[in-house]
Amino acid sequence: MDEKNGNTPVPVQARIRPDHEVVVIGAGFGGIGTGIALQRKGIHDFLIVDKWDRVGGTWHANTYPGVAVDIPSFIYSFSYEQRGDWSRIYAPGTELRDYADGMVDKYGLRSKLRLNTTIVAANFDEDNSIWRLATDGGQEITGRYVVMAVGGLERPKMPDIPGLHDFTGSLVHTAMWDHDLSLAGKRVAVIGTGATALQLIPAIVDETAHLTVFQRTPIWVFPKNDAEVGSLGRALLSNKPVRSAARLLGTVATEVAMSGNLAGPAWLGTTLRRAGEIPVRRWMRNQVDDPVLREKLTPKYGLGCKRPSMSNDYLKTFNRADVSLVTDSIERITERGVRTVDGVEHEIDVLVCATGFKLWDRGAVPPFPVRGRGGMELGAFWDAHRFQSYQGVSVPGFPNAFTITGPYGFVLGSYIWMIEATAAHLSRAIAEAGRRGADVVEIRQEAHDEYFRHCLRRQERNFLFTPTCAGSNTYYIDNHGDSPFRPTTHGEMYWHNRHFDLDVYRYTIGSSPAAEVVATAKESV
């Protein structure tokens, strides 16, 4: 608000003081990592809000049978909070949730939590330079800064199939698992064959009378070198140098296999992909006895076009007489089951939708209206102008607002690496605003645009847009036809988020750019 538009600015001394300096939305790993990063910068007046009754985010919400991490646990953990007492190399979901709980206590975050509270709207108050957050209970929480640490695996996506709600049996999505639902002796159908289905299907098949799996696109499946971490393994992993060495090796392998595929030179990605496809395809084919099923379960698109996964049991499940694979398209859901385009009605008692999440869907990112300067709504902005943000953290026009999992912030691999990087980024910007005596910090348009152009230039050589990935139905590509993942290595992500020029942001007293505050001393480390 300014005099030029006929509005008189509110004097600094008359502005409303917010409830908290920072409000973090989400108490999963993103929110927890943000809280720790803020504390490390000397920022202690913050609140972490979450809709659930317990911390853990994805690992609290997803409790379907077989749920587990698909990245080795010693990698899927914070660098400053490594553990050596995981029960398995790939820990079950309950251990990841307990890990989050333990971090909350260790880092003194319990008193910062407000659980069972859903944020339904966020509006930037330009007169007072604060964010006003509306809750589902009709209350308001205000913060100088807001951090949206709402994870990507947050909003379940039900399949868009006619008649879905006509089904008279039991209907469940994997992300909203009903533990009172018994599958014993029932005819069960699973729609979807992604990473979740790979874990779920082997976990429930012994319980069902018959299991029918509806597959649209086959998935690349790797053998899972999983095992219990016995006393010897725990002794080794309790040794910090050994644990750090194992973590480094795993990180380098992920960097080469995943980041190298997307961010490296085209020849490297092609070489890695082809070298990986041969042994993986051979292993996959050896798991399935029936040659017709074998062909249906083998991807025709290239390795890496969509998220692969690991399982020693998934493909073997289809060797069973009480398991059916259906690859005909679904025409509609009926009262009694699923009818495919060939006219066959598959009668079932329970329908399980393993159909993923609304990752880049309109209205899903963010999951509530976020209105910045001039009332501009973030979801509408992205819908009209493509997904974009500076290093996955900041968007021009949305002062004092930061995201943990924003567009072009995530390098394929462990989410934890991105959380550490983006949390360090935003806490650095907030601390700098405080050091300069400013109460508004906003990414400069030119810095944001240059970063976006850089990502789009790198994206041009991305194999996701080549015939190699035709027919993959990958969620790596959004509804604009872009791939809003960060096309860099993890090393670049780590360095750039911690060492960006602080002046890519504009620091002001009040919302007027004319009130910019320049640095008078160097940032303290």
Side-chain angles (χ1 to χ4, degrees):
M1 309 287 280
D2 55 39
E3 293 172 335
K4 187 167 57 179
N5 293 324
N7 299 308
T8 303
V10 177
V12 173
Q13 62 271 21
R15 288 188 189 141
I16 296 172
R17 182 177 177 83
D19 299 329
H20 302 277
E21 187 70 1
V22 185
V23 179
V24 182
I25 304 173
F29 283 165
I32 293 168
T34 298
I36 295 170
L38 290 170
Q39 289 178 332
R40 289 181 166 183
K41 283 294 186 180
I43 303 165
H44 299 282
D45 179 15
F46 61 87
L47 179 72
I48 302 175
V49 183
D50 199 283
K51 67 181 181 181
W52 298 109
D53 60 353
R54 185 172 177 177
V55 302
T58 294
W59 300 106
H60 174 59
N62 287 268
T63 59
Y64 59 84
V67 62
V69 67
D70 58 4
I71 293 175
S73 304
F74 55 85
I75 295 177
Y76 193 83
S77 52
F78 288 90
S79 62
Y80 49 80
E81 193 59 37
Q82 297 180 42
R83 277 179 40 180
D85 60 345
W86 301 105
S87 67
R88 306 190 66 84
I89 294 175
Y90 297 89
T94 52
E95 285 189 38
L96 274 298
R97 183 192 62 193
D98 292 343
Y99 173 71
D101 242 338
M103 290 188 66
V104 165
D105 290 328
K106 179 173 180 178
Y107 290 90
L109 300 178
R110 189 72 58 185
S111 63
K112 308 285 190 182
L113 295 174
R114 184 179 296 183
L115 302 177
N116 295 305
T117 302
T118 302
I119 300 300
V120 296
N123 295 283
F124 185 62
D125 178 344
E126 295 185 59
D127 288 340
N128 294 287
S129 302
I130 61 174
W131 279 92
R132 296 182 179 275
L133 310 176
T135 74
D136 57 344
Q139 299 175 319
E140 182 179 79
I141 303 171
T142 58
R144 179 72 63 203
Y145 304 95
V146 64
V147 178
M148 286 174 282
V150 180
L153 309 182
E154 168 69 13
R155 302 188 71 184
K157 184 175 185 177
M158 297 298 287
D160 185 16
I161 301 174
L164 182 65
H165 297 290
D166 296 335
F167 181 58
T168 56
S170 299
L171 174 66
V172 63
H173 190 283
T174 51
M176 299 180 290
W177 193 260
D178 181 1
H179 289 275
D180 293 329
L181 174 64
S182 173
L183 304 181
K186 294 183 178 178
R187 300 166 298 176
V188 178
V190 176
I191 297 177
T193 52
T196 296
L198 260 67
Q199 296 180 341
L200 173 76
I201 288 169
I204 65 173
V205 67
D206 287 334
E207 190 178 356
T208 64
H210 190 91
L211 182 63
T212 304
V213 178
F214 291 89
Q215 172 187 278
R216 179 177 63 173
T217 310
I219 185 174
W220 282 95
V221 185
F222 286 73
K224 190 173 185 178
N225 298 315
D226 191 16
E228 290 187 17
V229 179
S231 56
L232 177 59
R234 292 191 181 200
L236 288 171
L237 289 176
S238 66
N239 182 285
K240 186 175 181 179
V242 172
R243 188 172 62 235
S244 296
R247 183 183 176 90
L248 177 62
L249 287 173
T251 300
V252 171
T254 304
E255 185 83 306
V256 172
M258 301 190 78
S259 305
N261 221 351
L262 292 181
W267 65 266
L268 176 61
T270 302
T271 302
L272 290 172
R273 187 171 62 255
R274 289 177 178 171
E277 284 180 358
I278 295 171
V280 176
R281 183 178 282 114
R282 183 183 298 120
W283 178 83
M284 289 180 63
R285 295 176 69 84
N286 286 338
Q287 304 301 299
V288 185
D289 298 335
D290 184 276
V292 175
L293 281 176
R294 189 184 302 145
E295 289 304 314
K296 290 181 177 180
L297 289 163
T298 303
K300 303 301 187 291
Y301 59 87
L303 178 63
C305 292
K306 63 187 302 181
R307 180 182 176 182
S309 196
M310 296 171 290
S311 175
N312 297 327
D313 306 313
Y314 171 72
L315 293 170
K316 291 180 179 178
T317 301
F318 294 95
N319 293 327
R320 300 173 55 136
D322 58 354
V323 176
S324 302
L325 177 70
V326 179
T327 57
D328 292 300
S329 298
I330 296 174
E331 180 181 272
R332 69 174 294 109
I333 307 298
T334 68
E335 291 184 358
R336 297 184 300 171
V338 180
R339 188 166 70 226
T340 46
V341 292
D342 58 359
V344 175
E345 183 170 9
H346 305 265
E347 293 191 7
I348 56 173
D349 305 305
V350 179
L351 178 59
V352 179
C353 298
T355 45
F357 299 85
K358 297 178 180 178
L359 192 59
W360 302 114
D361 297 54
R362 180 183 298 180
V365 185
F368 48 83
V370 177
R371 294 182 175 84
R373 196 186 299 282
M376 179 167 57
E377 204 280 309
L378 183 56
F381 171 78
W382 278 337
D383 189 49
H385 301 285
R386 308 161 76 177
F387 287 106
Q388 52 186 286
S389 66
Y390 180 68
Q391 298 204 46
V393 178
S394 304
V395 179
F398 294 86
N400 292 3
F402 306 92
T403 59
I404 287 290
T405 58
Y408 299 100
F410 176 49
V411 176
L412 292 178
S414 170
Y415 252 78
I416 304 295
W417 296 332
M418 175 197 59
I419 289 168
E420 286 196 41
T422 52
H425 179 130
L426 66 90
S427 60
R428 188 170 175 240
I430 293 172
E432 180 65 11
R435 192 177 70 85
R436 297 191 187 194
D439 59 8
V440 176
V441 55
E442 182 177 356
I443 189 64
R444 297 179 190 271
Q445 188 74 52
E446 57 272 23
H448 165 274
D449 291 351
E450 175 52 37
Y451 178 76
F452 188 38
R453 285 193 295 268
H454 170 74
C455 289
L456 294 179
R457 284 195 301 268
R458 281 204 169 185
Q459 197 178 94
E460 290 175 358
R461 64 191 184 199
N462 195 323
F463 77 97
L464 293 173
F465 304 99
T466 68
T468 299
C469 294
S472 63
N473 294 310
T474 179
Y475 72 76
Y476 289 172
I477 297 178
D478 65 25
N479 59 352
H480 297 284
D482 296 324
S483 178
F485 294 95
R486 182 173 183 143
T488 72
T489 63
H490 287 91
E492 287 176 278
M493 177 181 67
Y494 176 94
W495 182 263
H496 290 162
N497 276 290
R498 290 167 172 82
H499 300 281
F500 61 88
D501 182 351
L502 286 165
D503 283 325
V504 298
Y505 283 92
R506 178 181 290 110
Y507 308 86
T508 61
I509 300 173
S511 294
S512 172
E516 183 170 352
V517 181
V518 298
T520 57
K522 288 186 177 181
E523 170 194 26
S524 59
V525 179

